[in-house]
Amino acid sequence: MVIASTRPGRLGPAVGDWFVRATAELGVDLDVADLAEVNLPFLDEPEHPSTGIYQHEHTRVWSRRVADADAFVFVTSEYNFAMPATLKNAFDYLHAEWAWKPCLFVGYGNTSAGTRGVQMARGVAGSLRMLSIGGDIFLRIADDMRDGVVVDSERLNGRAAAALRELCRVADVLRPLYRDGISVAPAVRADAAEVAPALPADVAELLVLQRCCWVDEAVANARLDLPALLESEGEVRESLRTWSTWCVRSGGRLVGSVRARRDGDIWEIGRLMVAPDHRRTGLGRRLLAFAEAQAPDSVEVATLFTGERSDRNILLYQKSGYALTGGTAPAGAVRLTKPLAA
Ligand SMILES: Cc1cc2nc3c(=O)[nH]c(=O)nc-3n(C[C@H](O)[C@H](O)[C@H](O)COP(=O)(O)O)c2cc1C
């Protein structure tokens, strides 16, 4: 549930409280996102939200919260025949996170009972691929509220419960579309991928991605004692201090990463990983080339390690100019090196 208005003394939270109360018996898990608390500044992301490249922590937090939802109830006032700017701003921040999820509006206002504001919001929601199911609820402040509180009535409470029940049923049907079916965030095109330095806020996702990617390595090499599989969140966090790590995001999700550091006169590259659904897009090669390009001028050789039976990786590295060179390598791994262009 999104509470749209943010001004001091607003009625939005009271309307939201009523809706929660009126629908409590359904046992639906309603995460109440009060935009006054979410506290988004006016859209301050440089990239279009469809890229999923978010520079600010407030956007990532909002993205995760919206992505986690199965459906939306927008509790919105009407300001000057329109939705409040805060709601439009909250919509504009994200893209794929809204898509293919059903939504319901609870509008309130004076004479119009919020209908014009909701009408406008429905159009915006539609352009974000949300599905407005209809059956929206409208409250006239003079009729339905007393002393800043919605007056419970069997009629109104029954409508709220029926609307939420319908919303949940539609969400059940649509779930395959937004969980693993239609994606509105096209796989990152390798040449367009924005590679950004990893931040401490990326650690949890980095850990998930590396575990996911190194399961294949464990299978290919028939061994489980791989550091990338066993590392803790704290160790990944610590590694951000000792390595330069870069990430690529798509639809708000971390889908690729690589890291590198100088070791004497060698540029050591590691943890090259691409999410399974973004493989075969050239992203791995792009990340590798990016990591190589970050080498200091005085370093002439790049090196990396992979499992001795990781045939696919070895092939990818050989295609990118690396050769198996022998020399020290962790147990079960092989070393590959590549001369870096001056
Ligand atoms: C800037 C502003 C514009 C308003 N415009 C409308 C309007 O167009 N239609 C309407 O029915 N009520 C309008 N109202 C009255 C609101 O419906 C009423 O103040 C309501 O409490 C606003 O929601 P909020 O308390 O959550 O901010 C407006 C109120 C404000 C503050």
Side-chain angles (χ1 to χ4, degrees):
M1 172 185 289
V2 176
I3 308 281
S5 66
T6 59
R7 68 183 184 90
R10 67 218 158 103
L11 293 176
V15 178
D17 285 349
W18 160 74
F19 191 87
V20 170
R21 201 165 63 236
T23 60
E25 65 182 22
L26 298 180
V28 175
D29 180 12
L30 277 174
D31 168 27
V32 181
D34 182 344
L35 292 184
E37 285 164 16
V38 173
N39 204 16
L40 292 166
F42 269 124
L43 181 60
D44 60 353
E45 288 290 341
E47 301 293 334
H48 190 283
S50 64
T51 62
I53 298 168
Y54 301 136
Q55 301 215 337
H56 300 293
E57 186 54 16
H58 55 249
T59 316
R60 292 187 192 152
V61 170
W62 184 230
S63 162
R64 281 194 283 272
R65 197 159 181 189
V66 172
D68 277 351
D70 288 313
F72 305 103
V73 178
F74 297 107
V75 173
T76 181
S77 53
E78 174 176 304
Y79 291 163
N80 299 314
F81 289 39
M83 76 177 102
T86 43
L87 180 59
K88 178 67 165 51
N89 190 48
F91 279 147
D92 291 344
Y93 257 95
L94 306 178
H95 187 81
E97 297 86 340
W98 300 114
W100 305 118
K101 297 177 182 175
C103 65
L104 174 75
F105 291 89
V106 179
Y108 57 95
N110 288 335
T111 38
S112 71
T115 46
R116 294 167 300 205
V118 166
Q119 187 62 17
M120 182 198 209
R122 287 169 89 171
V124 176
S127 82
L128 287 164
R129 296 183 173 84
M130 259 179 276
L131 290 123
S132 160
I133 63 165
D136 299 320
I137 293 170
F138 298 101
L139 306 180
R140 282 194 69 218
I141 296 169
D143 298 338
D144 299 312
M145 301 191 77
R146 292 272 179 289
D147 303 324
V149 176
V150 178
V151 181
D152 287 78
S153 74
E154 215 170 295
R155 174 190 65 88
L156 217 49
N157 291 10
R159 279 180 44 210
L164 187 61
R165 198 177 293 117
E166 189 176 346
L167 187 71
C168 293
R169 286 181 57 209
V170 177
D172 282 342
V173 174
L174 293 177
R175 191 168 289 111
L177 275 185
Y178 59 81
R179 286 290 169 231
D180 42 40
I182 298 176
S183 166
V184 295
V188 180
R189 280 203 343 269
D191 55 350
E194 167 136 345
V195 184
L199 302 169
D202 297 318
V203 164
E205 279 182 278
L206 269 174
L207 183 62
V208 170
L209 184 62
Q210 78 181 40
R211 286 189 182 165
C212 161
C213 291
W214 263 265
V215 166
D216 290 348
E217 290 299 284
V219 172
N221 292 277
R223 58 188 306 162
L224 287 171
D225 58 342
L226 305 177
L229 271 184
L230 302 175
E231 263 174 11
S232 67
E233 192 173 336
E235 285 167 320
V236 175
R237 188 178 304 280
E238 183 56 31
S239 77
L240 296 189
R241 268 202 260 273
T242 47
W243 293 79
S244 297
T245 305
W246 299 277
C247 303
V248 168
R249 287 185 173 272
S250 170
R253 182 165 65 97
L254 197 149
V255 294
S257 180
V258 68
R259 70 186 190 182
R261 68 179 173 192
R262 186 179 189 152
D263 180 12
D265 53 0
I266 285 173
W267 187 237
E268 190 181 348
I269 296 175
R271 294 290 155 82
L272 178 61
M273 49 182 136
V274 173
D277 59 331
H278 283 72
R279 290 186 189 151
R280 283 182 271 279
T281 64
L283 183 55
R285 274 206 294 278
R286 161 99 164 84
L287 277 167
L288 183 57
F290 179 90
E292 289 165 3
Q294 308 312 307
D297 288 346
S298 53
V299 173
E300 289 170 8
V301 176
T303 189
L304 46 79
F305 302 100
T306 191
E308 58 194 1
R309 289 199 238 156
S310 303
D311 298 337
R312 252 193 23 216
N313 288 356
I314 293 173
L315 200 65
L316 169 101
Y317 295 137
Q318 286 174 331
K319 277 188 184 163
S320 302
Y322 286 78
L324 288 160
T325 45
T328 45
V334 289
R335 172 191 283 266
L336 294 103
T337 61
K338 173 182 178 177
L340 292 170

